[in-house]
Amino acid sequence: MARVSRVRWVAVGAVALLWVLSNGSAPEARAQEAGFTTEGLASWWDGHHVDLPRPPLITHAEVDTRLQRVAASDPGFFTLATLGASNEGRAIRHLAFGRGPFHVLMWSQMHGDEPTATRALFDLIAFFHMRRDEPAVARMLDALTIHMVPMLNPDGAERFQRRNLQGIDINRDALMLQTPEGRLLKDLRDQLNPRLGFNLHNQGWRTSVAGTGQPASISLLAVSFDEARSDNPGRLLAKKVAGVMRDSIEPLAAGRIGKYDDEFEPRAFGDNITKWGTPVVLVETGPWPGPDHDTHLVRLNFVLLVSALDALATGRAEAASPDRYESLPFNGSSVLYQLIRRATVVMGNGVAPFRADIGITGTRTVRPVEGQRTIVIVKRIDEWGDLSTFGGLEEIDGSDLWATPIWSPALKIGDVVTLPDFASRTAATIGPAQPANLVLLKPVGNDRFRVDRLIMAEEIVR
Ligand SMILES: [Zn+2]
């Protein structure tokens, strides 16, 4: 072992010496100033982002029409190629621009229900094209060639489901290659042999920053290529780039950035693409509090991707420390969609009222409502009791409220009611693992209550 590692050190030393001889200086000295600030990118996004539906509602037809329009608008700038088709015959396209020797490959929506970055890629396309003559953007276009596959799993996206039409998780098909989508991604990687890959996903809305009740709005991972989670120059670059990305969004999402589990997954694309020679940064977009979450999350994706590309073009990525990535806290699982703190609970099954925090999870689905593709958040009571170590995307102070089953569909906010005899009913109960249908009541004296809020298990996002 000792001899092997000494030989390796000699080799590393020789490479470092060659580097210094050929460049005349250490890479740190070559880094140029950043072209963009977080504030500058965020405000450009606010003023210029592309007009697209909320990410879950973006269809393949929309993506395809836009890509063709973009490519036709400036054929000298953009190259659009068709890689192939999904099982249902939807075209999977590859857009490229830039003239630099350093090729990067970004792919989004390998999981059909993970759409945030797809929208951000269109903002990136608009940014590069609109500002192509500005020195800082031209510097990126001179240094880099940027390749994008904006929707790798269009059949899954159509159904807003993780898997493809075969029911296969494409991200576990890197070795068997039984999915057309997976084969197309591998072929493209092999053809381009890019120097860096960006694997763009969404993570569940339960995901927190470990040790806090804060949502992990963005989690980053410099993907491992072996069980030992070793470093090589490629993974080290991925770590540095992930650190740059962290710093770029820290002012917008302080305390809401996590590190994704870095365990090697032998079947996954990120891990194998790294192994095949293209280091990969995984970006997982998580939850954000409030109804306007998509705005914040798409903007974060835009800022961190442009910042990464800028840092690659200026040499700041190579010169960065991996510590900014390494020091990120790992992901946890302590964020709830709604958290009602210290309510008085009436289960509806005869158990005497007791105090509990009520934790409700929310999962985004897309389904037709009145003939329209609509986002519906499906909510479930996940846990209750002492949830003091959890956080909520929405927190409701329940200390002055009673939580009971919805015993009548006629209940309306503001109604003054008395509680029914739940013991005589069997239909309405609430509890963990049940759909989150409950009413919050405020006591107004004489055993009477005012209806304060109705929480329904299916919430339509308008
Ligand atoms: Zn995913």
Side-chain angles (χ1 to χ4, degrees):
M1 278 306 280
R3 201 169 65 180
V4 170
S5 71
R6 198 160 55 232
V7 168
R8 199 176 282 160
W9 275 112
V10 170
V12 168
V15 168
L17 182 64
L18 281 173
W19 170 265
V20 171
L21 288 175
S22 62
N23 290 278
S25 59
E28 285 78 0
R30 293 169 57 246
Q32 295 169 276
E33 212 170 298
F36 302 95
T37 62
T38 299
E39 296 69 26
L41 290 173
S43 75
W44 185 90
W45 189 89
D46 287 338
H48 298 90
H49 66 83
V50 171
D51 181 27
L52 270 166
R54 295 184 85 123
L57 300 179
I58 299 174
T59 58
H60 173 262
E62 176 104 49
V63 165
D64 218 37
T65 306
R66 294 223 177 215
L67 283 175
Q68 309 222 32
R69 201 187 301 155
V70 159
S73 74
D74 193 345
F77 187 83
F78 295 110
T79 311
L80 183 63
T82 305
L83 297 176
S86 67
N87 283 292
E88 270 181 328
R90 295 189 173 90
I92 297 172
R93 314 264 192 208
H94 160 213
L95 185 80
F97 53 92
R99 48 196 171 257
F102 192 111
H103 290 245
V104 302
L105 173 60
M106 304 176 165
W107 62 97
S108 176
Q109 225 167 341
M110 162 186 274
H111 293 137
D113 56 353
E114 300 182 10
T116 303
T118 302
R119 206 180 110 169
L121 290 181
F122 282 95
D123 298 326
L124 221 70
I125 294 166
F127 171 86
F128 274 95
H129 192 240
M130 282 174 70
R131 301 181 66 173
R132 61 192 178 280
D133 296 327
E134 288 178 31
V137 175
R139 177 172 60 186
M140 283 193 268
L141 295 168
D142 288 338
L144 311 172
T145 302
I146 298 158
H147 303 268
M148 295 177 175
V149 181
M151 186 183 268
L152 186 65
N153 179 5
D155 300 347
E158 208 67 12
R159 295 163 174 78
F160 204 65
Q161 69 181 30
R162 177 181 179 85
R163 296 178 166 83
N164 78 345
L165 194 66
Q166 295 157 282
I168 293 179
D169 180 343
I170 299 168
N171 206 22
R172 297 292 177 266
D173 189 40
L175 300 180
M176 282 185 74
L177 293 170
Q178 291 303 295
T179 60
E181 300 88 355
R183 287 193 294 270
L184 295 175
L185 179 62
K186 169 136 184 14
D187 288 349
L188 183 63
R189 201 239 53 103
D190 291 348
Q191 176 207 323
L192 300 172
N193 200 20
R195 299 269 296 276
L196 196 62
F198 293 91
N199 187 8
L200 307 171
H201 289 251
N202 284 80
Q203 57 191 359
W205 282 4
R206 267 300 286 264
T207 316
S208 59
V209 173
T212 76
Q214 282 289 313
S217 300
I218 295 287
S219 296
L220 300 166
L221 171 66
V223 177
S224 300
F225 60 89
D226 65 5
E227 297 278 357
R229 304 169 210 196
S230 318
D231 274 340
N232 61 10
R235 186 164 190 236
L236 201 56
L237 176 64
K239 286 183 175 181
K240 292 172 175 182
V241 170
V244 166
M245 292 165 119
R246 174 204 182 162
D247 286 340
S248 75
I249 57 168
E250 196 83 53
L252 304 173
R256 292 183 178 166
I257 310 167
K259 183 162 54 173
Y260 199 82
D261 180 7
D262 66 350
E263 198 175 324
F264 179 67
E265 165 51 70
R267 303 164 299 160
F269 261 99
D271 307 57
N272 282 289
I273 285 181
T274 300
K275 207 166 145 182
W276 297 328
T278 297
V280 172
V281 180
L282 172 75
V283 180
E284 292 273 357
T285 300
W288 185 275
D292 200 19
H293 50 265
D294 286 316
T295 297
H296 296 275
L297 296 169
V298 175
R299 180 169 40 206
L300 289 176
N301 271 263
F302 171 78
V303 169
L304 63 81
L305 289 172
V306 176
S307 300
L309 296 173
D310 185 44
L312 289 167
T314 56
R316 284 184 309 112
E318 195 59 61
S321 160
D323 295 351
R324 292 296 294 157
Y325 164 74
E326 300 278 15
S327 63
L328 277 170
F330 274 108
N331 278 356
S333 183
S334 302
V335 169
L336 296 153
Y337 182 67
Q338 288 172 312
L339 177 52
I340 307 164
R341 293 209 190 266
R342 298 190 61 74
T344 300
V345 172
V346 177
M347 292 179 75
N349 60 358
V351 169
F354 58 93
R355 283 263 179 195
D357 304 323
I358 304 172
I360 296 169
T361 52
T363 306
R364 280 208 287 196
T365 63
V366 173
R367 67 172 80 140
V369 175
E370 292 155 10
Q372 291 271 2
R373 243 171 99 85
T374 305
I375 302 170
V376 180
I377 297 174
V378 176
K379 298 189 301 185
R380 216 170 62 101
I381 299 174
D382 191 65
E383 271 195 77
W384 68 22
D386 179 355
L387 303 183
S388 54
T389 58
F390 285 70
L393 298 179
E394 184 192 6
E395 300 207 2
I396 300 165
D397 177 6
S399 53
D400 195 20
L401 297 172
W402 288 45
T404 79
I406 297 173
W407 67 85
S408 159
L411 287 176
K412 293 191 309 294
I413 290 166
D415 285 355
V416 174
V417 296
T418 51
L419 291 187
D421 176 14
F422 281 110
S424 70
R425 297 163 175 263
T426 50
T429 60
I430 51 172
Q434 289 190 36
N437 286 309
L438 52 114
V439 56
L440 300 179
L441 302 165
K442 197 168 203 115
V444 292
N446 299 324
D447 292 335
R448 292 167 71 76
F449 297 84
R450 198 178 60 244
V451 177
D452 191 71
R453 185 160 173 174
L454 289 156
I455 293 182
M456 311 300 290
E458 299 205 337
E459 186 182 310
I460 292 174
V461 178
R462 296 287 182 194

